[in-house]
Amino acid sequence: MFMKLVILDRDGVINLDSDAYIKSLEEWIPIPSSIDAIARLSKAGWTVAVATNQSGLARGYYDLSTLETMHVRLRELVAEQGGDVGLIVHCPHGPDDGCDCRKPRPGMLLRIAEHYGVDLAGIWFVGDSSGDLEAAQAVDCQPVLVKTGKGERTLAKALPAGTLVFDDLAAVAAHLLQ
Ligand SMILES: O=P(O)(O)OC[C@@H](O)[C@H]1O[C@@H](OP(=O)(O)O)[C@@H](O)[C@@H](O)[C@@H]1O
Ligand SMILES: [Mg+2]
Ligand SMILES: [Zn+2]
């Protein structure tokens, strides 16, 4: 049974990213068309889940309660447009912690699949970084690159075979909703 599930990376896809990390609610600046896209997908029956690396926690740049305020704000903004956001999974670890949830490892995608009781094959995972695309490829998700955030930099590198490229999340939603 095909579930209308799409999984999103957060920084650079839903909100602006920064090389200095997104360290506070004030620094969490939504991409307006992305909020609208999530609401439109949700209202059309899609489940929208999120898989996000948050090594800033391990690095001590911000704490879990700050991270949660960003996700409360995300849910509020989407709800204002009549939609909702599904499961948000984050990796709190640093690059040297050897966890299995930090992208490019696929642990967060597997967690989301388990939560919804679905097979990941062919499920679209939308990201802006190589690690997102590699995580998708590792579990047969459809790798989808957007040009927002670090997307233009990622596009300059080799992409996993079959990666689909869109300008932004709004364009991804338009494709899925056509
Ligand atoms: O794009 P998602 O997965 O939602 O989140 C990315 C963030 O956790 C941060 O990931 C860091 O990578 P390192 O974790 O330092 O390798 C840097 O790329 C930051 O610019 C970025 O804000
Ligand atoms: Mg990102
Ligand atoms: Zn982790």
Side-chain angles (χ1 to χ4, degrees):
M1 185 273 273
F2 171 73
M3 178 181 181
K4 292 202 295 193
L5 169 66
V6 60
I7 306 171
L8 309 181
D9 169 51
R10 193 194 83 178
D11 296 332
V13 176
I14 298 174
N15 55 280
L16 299 180
D17 197 2
S18 164
D19 288 344
Y21 299 75
I22 306 302
K23 305 182 291 300
S24 66
L25 184 58
E26 293 68 33
E27 291 180 7
W28 188 84
I29 300 167
I31 297 169
S33 61
S34 291
I35 300 297
D36 175 64
I38 294 168
R40 281 189 291 113
L41 283 164
S42 164
K43 286 187 280 189
W46 284 80
T47 295
V48 180
V50 180
T52 178
N53 282 355
Q54 290 300 323
S55 69
L57 290 167
R59 299 171 193 278
Y61 294 161
Y62 48 89
D63 61 18
L64 196 54
S65 63
T66 297
L67 184 72
E68 287 306 317
T69 63
M70 298 174 200
H71 298 166
V72 166
R73 174 66 53 82
L74 168 59
R75 294 184 187 282
E76 284 170 350
L77 291 171
V78 173
E80 280 169 14
Q81 300 201 25
D84 61 51
V85 180
L87 183 64
I88 300 174
V89 180
H90 74 270
C91 164
H93 306 109
D96 305 327
D97 291 341
C99 72
D100 64 10
C101 47
R102 177 181 161 82
K103 297 173 289 185
R105 292 189 167 178
M108 290 190 282
L109 301 178
L110 293 166
R111 169 98 179 277
I112 289 167
E114 183 191 2
H115 176 80
Y116 290 107
V118 296
D119 186 287
L120 281 170
I123 297 289
W124 286 29
F125 179 45
V126 185
D128 66 322
S129 300
S130 300
D132 301 323
L133 306 177
E134 290 158 23
Q137 190 177 44
V139 285
D140 286 336
C141 282
Q142 170 61 58
V144 182
L145 176 66
V146 287
K147 296 179 182 177
T148 49
K150 296 182 170 68
E152 292 283 6
R153 279 188 239 174
T154 304
L155 195 55
K157 298 183 279 184
L159 302 179
T163 298
L164 300 176
V165 182
F166 292 86
D167 285 342
D168 53 19
L169 182 58
V172 174
H175 179 88
L176 292 176
L177 295 173
Q178 71 181 343

